[in-house]
Amino acid sequence: MSNYRASNKYTDYLFSDCNQHLYHSVSHKPIFFKKMIQSNETIQFLKHSYPHNYKMQKNILKNFTKNHYNNMNVHVLLEFYHMEGDFDEIALIIKQIKNTSDHTSQTWASLYDLMLQYRLNKTPPQEIINTLLETPTSTHEMKLFALIIHLLSVFRLSLYDSFNKVSKHVLPLLDSITNDYLRNSYKFQLMQIYATAKLYKNNVETSRLLCTQMLDKNLNIYYPTIHSNIYHTLATSYLGTDFDTCMYWLNKASSSLFSLSTAYSYKKMQNIQKTLYFAENFWRKNLNYLPSDPTEAVHRLIVTDQKKEAITLLHQISVQKGYFTPLQEYYYGIASNDYSKILSAKEKFLWQSNLFYLQLFSEETLNRYGVMGKSGKMFS
């Protein structure tokens, strides 16, 4: 354990009642535990005492949860596990809360259940919104958290203009939260998706500026999964313009997750790998292996002039999934030199309001993939 020294207090109020009874209950334990409950900066204390050691942080918190659950603010505990991507632990706490009669905790449990459904993509976003509208919220933090879930669901519906318009007004409201840990957690979640929405609308420089503003806070130790998403958004913004810069941000995105080893962090690593595969394929780098992701395996076969094999793999994907994503349909059009498929893919990207990926339809990009013989104007 490193020596804990924090120059600036970073409040989280994980313990709702640091009274004498609670203090005496840990009197037989090392001074470390007493310091934890005497301050309102428990998460800061853990993060600086055991940096990049989520397993130890979790073990200590679980010990306190087991013995002092009634002295803890459950929504702060849930948000800690949320930011670490430990959704299994959140599910266990939700199950525990449902056996209590505490209405406030039960509402928090319902909200985090909806957040899990969003993060794991288990429930259609419109259904999440409908459930939220029927969920009564009582506290200020609860109302703001529910609003964030609502906005994330709007984002997933590809309603980027609506999302951006409302988010601009919601972000200042989050400054009213006095809890440092929760305030920045909520803000970073919303700002990261805001930056991604700006990228999808092809406002690339604005997206990058928003990302760097978040990174300037130097709070990555507290929010590893969100910072990984920020780095990933920055990497994506350089996909078609700068391979080395893209790789730099992808490496940062991966390193943010190394200490977590949760199911969600593994899923995020897979998403980062997909972006890596795309960049390698687009820039013709490291082509001596076949990516594990089927879509980018097709891409790899195309750029290595194995288009028949690419079409065969696409047929297998179609049989398995029953449909093509816009990117898969684009690859099918490229592999088969079928302009109708390329135009259909473009329409799907437009329907999703994803203007960033329209760069794939430029004459220069199509020529990179060997699509010749027709004017690039039809794709502009």
Side-chain angles (χ1 to χ4, degrees), residues 243 276-291 296-297 299-306:
F243 177 79
L276 169 67
Y277 296 148
F278 181 95
E280 288 180 338
N281 290 332
F282 185 84
W283 292 99
R284 305 327 194 246
K285 304 279 189 179
N286 308 320
L287 301 180
N288 57 342
Y289 72 98
L290 195 65
E296 285 310 308
H299 196 182
R300 182 67 50 93
L301 291 169
I302 290 171
V303 300
T304 55
D305 201 25
Q306 302 177 73

Side-chain angles (χ1 to χ4, degrees), residues 230-252:
I230 295 169
Y231 296 136
H232 195 177
T233 300
L234 280 167
T236 302
S237 76
Y238 288 97
L239 265 179
T241 55
D242 190 329
F243 177 79
D244 290 335
T245 302
C246 179
M247 289 300 102
Y248 171 80
W249 290 118
L250 282 180
N251 287 333
K252 297 278 284 185

Side-chain angles (χ1 to χ4, degrees), residues 77-335:
L77 184 65
L78 286 165
E79 189 60 15
F80 172 78
Y81 289 126
H82 179 207
M83 288 297 95
E84 304 298 317
D86 197 338
F87 297 165
D88 290 338
E89 191 62 32
I90 292 177
L92 288 174
I93 296 173
I94 289 173
K95 185 177 180 180
Q96 179 183 347
I97 291 172
K98 287 181 178 179
N99 294 323
T100 71
S101 58
D102 186 334
H103 294 301
T104 300
S105 294
Q106 287 180 350
T107 303
W108 277 115
S110 297
L111 291 175
Y112 273 92
D113 187 42
L114 288 173
M115 180 61 90
L116 288 194
Q117 292 176 46
Y118 170 82
R119 294 292 182 197
L120 299 174
N121 207 11
K122 285 186 173 181
T123 305
Q126 187 60 58
E127 189 175 324
I128 291 176
I129 291 172
N130 294 341
T131 305
L132 274 170
L133 293 175
E134 297 173 358
T135 304
T137 53
S138 55
T139 71
H140 182 61
E141 290 171 350
M142 194 182 286
K143 292 178 188 296
L144 290 174
F145 186 67
L147 188 53
I148 288 171
I149 301 172
H150 190 129
L151 283 169
L152 297 186
S153 300
V154 169
F155 169 84
R156 186 157 287 171
L157 287 167
S158 301
L159 301 173
Y160 304 131
D161 288 332
S162 298
F163 172 87
N164 289 339
K165 185 180 294 184
V166 178
S167 294
K168 285 171 62 177
H169 297 286
V170 173
L171 280 166
L173 298 178
L174 300 177
D175 287 327
S176 62
I177 299 175
T178 57
N179 184 316
D180 294 331
Y181 182 79
L182 290 183
R183 181 179 63 254
N184 284 311
S185 178
Y186 294 175
K187 286 186 74 171
F188 282 7
Q189 289 175 70
L190 193 54
M191 284 186 69
Q192 185 269 314
I193 298 296
Y194 187 43
T196 303
K198 286 293 185 182
L199 183 65
Y200 287 171
K201 296 297 288 185
N202 209 31
N203 297 319
V204 178
E205 291 304 322
T206 301
S207 176
R208 289 173 183 166
L209 178 62
L210 288 167
C211 288
T212 53
Q213 285 175 346
M214 285 182 276
L215 297 179
D216 284 345
K217 300 290 185 181
N218 291 319
L219 296 174
N220 56 306
I221 189 174
Y222 297 105
Y223 314 107
T225 54
I226 296 301
H227 274 73
S228 178
N229 291 341
I230 295 169
Y231 296 136
H232 195 177
T233 300
L234 280 167
T236 302
S237 76
Y238 288 97
L239 265 179
T241 55
D242 190 329
F243 177 79
D244 290 335
T245 302
C246 179
M247 289 300 102
Y248 171 80
W249 290 118
L250 282 180
N251 287 333
K252 297 278 284 185
S254 298
S255 63
S256 291
L257 302 175
F258 282 159
S259 66
L260 298 183
S261 67
T262 58
Y264 183 68
S265 65
Y266 176 72
K267 177 185 174 184
K268 299 303 294 183
M269 286 293 289
Q270 287 181 313
N271 290 337
I272 292 167
Q273 273 195 315
K274 289 178 185 178
T275 305
L276 169 67
Y277 296 148
F278 181 95
E280 288 180 338
N281 290 332
F282 185 84
W283 292 99
R284 305 327 194 246
K285 304 279 189 179
N286 308 320
L287 301 180
N288 57 342
Y289 72 98
L290 195 65
S292 57
D293 175 65
T295 301
E296 285 310 308
V298 168
H299 196 182
R300 182 67 50 93
L301 291 169
I302 290 171
V303 300
T304 55
D305 201 25
Q306 302 177 73
K307 292 186 176 181
K308 287 183 179 179
E309 291 84 351
I311 293 171
T312 299
L313 181 52
L314 281 164
H315 283 154
Q316 293 173 4
I317 292 172
S318 178
V319 169
Q320 183 180 8
K321 297 290 186 181
Y323 63 91
F324 282 147
T325 65
L327 193 58
Q328 289 166 350
E329 187 154 12
Y330 174 79
Y331 290 155
Y332 192 95
I334 296 294

Side-chain angles (χ1 to χ4, degrees), residues 5-68:
R5 280 185 188 157
S7 56
N8 297 308
K9 288 186 176 182
Y10 199 67
T11 61
D12 55 68
Y13 303 101
L14 178 60
F15 290 98
S16 58
D17 186 10
C18 298
N19 56 28
Q20 285 297 109
H21 173 74
L22 179 58
Y23 182 78
H24 286 309
S25 69
V26 295
S27 60
H28 62 288
K29 293 188 176 183
I31 190 65
F32 172 82
F33 293 93
K34 297 175 186 177
K35 286 183 177 180
M36 271 189 65
I37 65 170
Q38 279 186 309
S39 74
N40 291 316
E41 301 93 40
T42 306
I43 295 173
Q44 181 186 45
F45 192 86
L46 281 175
K47 289 289 187 179
H48 285 270
S49 297
Y50 298 98
H52 310 297
N53 190 346
Y54 172 65
K55 184 177 180 180
M56 181 62 76
Q57 296 166 16
K58 179 180 177 178
N59 286 342
I60 292 171
L61 276 185
K62 281 182 71 68
N63 181 271
F64 271 96
T65 304
K66 180 180 178 181
N67 298 298
H68 308 290

